[in-house]
Amino acid sequence: MPIDGTARCLVVDDDAQVRHALAKVIEGHGLATVQAASGREALEVLQHHGEIPLVISDINMPEMDGIAFLKEALRRHSDLAVIMLTGVTEVTTAVECLKLGALDYIAKPVVIEEVRARVDKALEKRQLVLENRFYQHNLELRVRDLDRRNRQSLINGVQTLVHALEAKDAYTSGHSSRVSRYAVRTAVQLGYTGEMLEQIRLGGELHDIGKIGTREDILNKPGPLTLDEFEHVKAHSALGERILAPFLSESPMVLRIVRSHHERIDGAGFPDGIYAADIPREARIVAVVDAFDAMTTNRAYRPSRTTVDAMEELERCAGTHFDSEVVDAFRRAFPDVSVLPLGT
Ligand SMILES: [Fe+2]
């Protein structure tokens, strides 16, 4: 059946006379029409000829009846507005059609004014559904964007805190940023991309946030720490996790990194003393690069070691303190250790 680009209403009826008459009424109402003599033909029209928003379909048709057509048409084109034509004795069938998603029904014999009114109403309803869907989708996008921006501004605030913390201590200045960058380069070697890589970046940046709660005199103590003092310092990883937990619920790996960046694969680390496989690999990455940066920068209690020396130390402790695979990835990420430490 010939179709032009302006067709807007598909009329489906096996009775050519009824079909033509209906099409005429609808065209007189200002809508272009296209006709199909069966459900199957109507599906083909819908599939091949642009957007047709409205269908008026008879129920009793040979081959594929109106109900089977309605189901299939709505399955393929969920935005379609469908009006069913029913005989006066087919009220229960009409109700069934409405349940299946038809927007309306017209009882035969067809009254011209009724057709016009139902067509207008159906198109109006469809428009409302589409507008509502558009509004909802936009609202969802806006909420998601707002959520992302809120989260980012909170993270920025925490990062500012980290930098303020580092500024108090000349020895650790830039430590978090370097750990973050080393961790990302190492993670890339291990195949990380996307969201998890972003969590590693953030985990590296925030891993020592809990030191906000560490006493300054202990943080900057030039000599070795007493057992009690060391216990006090050890609290920073679990404290960091608690500080960040309220607003990083969607980035659980950041929290795991912060909590577990001092765990050792031989179980001798803290705060949980867990073993290799129980420590998330992401935390094992930060553990390695954190140790490297600590070794290669001056600390209150000792001067820095050379990068070559620090790399050898990591390799010496691989398999006991550190994850061998991660140490290997770190070496591959920085084959020329003379470029380290990276500037801030
Ligand atoms: Fe730490």
Side-chain angles (χ1 to χ4, degrees), residues 207-208 211 236 261-262 290:
H207 71 283
D208 270 345
K211 283 192 175 168
H236 79 274
H261 73 276
H262 284 295
D290 180 31

Side-chain angles (χ1 to χ4, degrees), residues 245-265:
F247 52 92
L248 282 179
S249 57
E250 283 179 24
S251 306
M253 193 45 74
V254 176
L255 301 177
R256 297 293 308 274
I257 290 170
V258 172
R259 181 177 184 88
S260 301
H261 73 276
H262 284 295
E263 297 292 355
R264 296 170 46 134
I265 63 163

Side-chain angles (χ1 to χ4, degrees), residues 45-151:
V45 171
L46 289 173
Q47 188 179 344
H48 294 115
H49 300 279
E51 201 204 342
I52 294 176
L54 179 64
V55 178
I56 298 182
S57 172
D58 190 21
I59 290 181
N60 288 322
M61 295 184 288
E63 194 190 343
M64 178 186 236
D65 71 11
I67 291 183
F69 162 69
L70 173 70
K71 280 188 197 165
E72 189 55 23
L74 289 178
R75 192 185 67 77
R76 296 186 193 181
H77 313 275
S78 57
D79 293 337
L80 211 54
V82 185
I83 300 174
M84 303 304 287
L85 287 173
T86 64
V88 274
T89 54
E90 297 172 315
V91 177
T92 47
T93 316
V95 172
E96 192 189 340
C97 289
L98 294 180
K99 279 187 191 155
L100 288 171
L103 268 192
D104 210 341
Y105 69 89
I106 300 173
K108 289 178 183 174
V110 170
V111 178
I112 292 178
E113 279 314 312
E114 193 184 353
V115 172
R116 288 177 184 157
R118 298 295 168 97
V119 163
D120 281 348
K121 204 173 106 196
L123 286 176
E124 223 171 82
K125 254 194 203 171
R126 177 182 179 272
Q127 189 61 26
L128 274 177
V129 168
L130 291 182
E131 277 172 11
N132 192 33
R133 193 175 306 159
F134 176 77
Y135 176 72
Q136 266 186 0
H137 179 66
N138 264 12
L139 199 68
E140 268 168 33
L141 289 181
R142 285 193 59 188
V143 167
R144 233 178 288 158
D145 184 51
L146 208 63
D147 193 43
R148 188 185 55 75
R149 278 192 286 168
N150 276 343
R151 190 168 155 250

Side-chain angles (χ1 to χ4, degrees), residues 180-204 253-254 257 282 285:
S180 179
R181 282 183 289 157
Y182 296 163
V184 166
R185 295 267 289 267
T186 306
V188 167
Q189 289 294 326
L190 291 166
Y192 284 93
T193 56
E195 168 60 19
M196 198 47 86
L197 190 61
E198 176 55 22
Q199 292 201 43
I200 291 170
R201 185 193 72 71
L202 202 56
M253 193 45 74
V254 176
I257 290 170
E282 296 76 5
I285 293 171

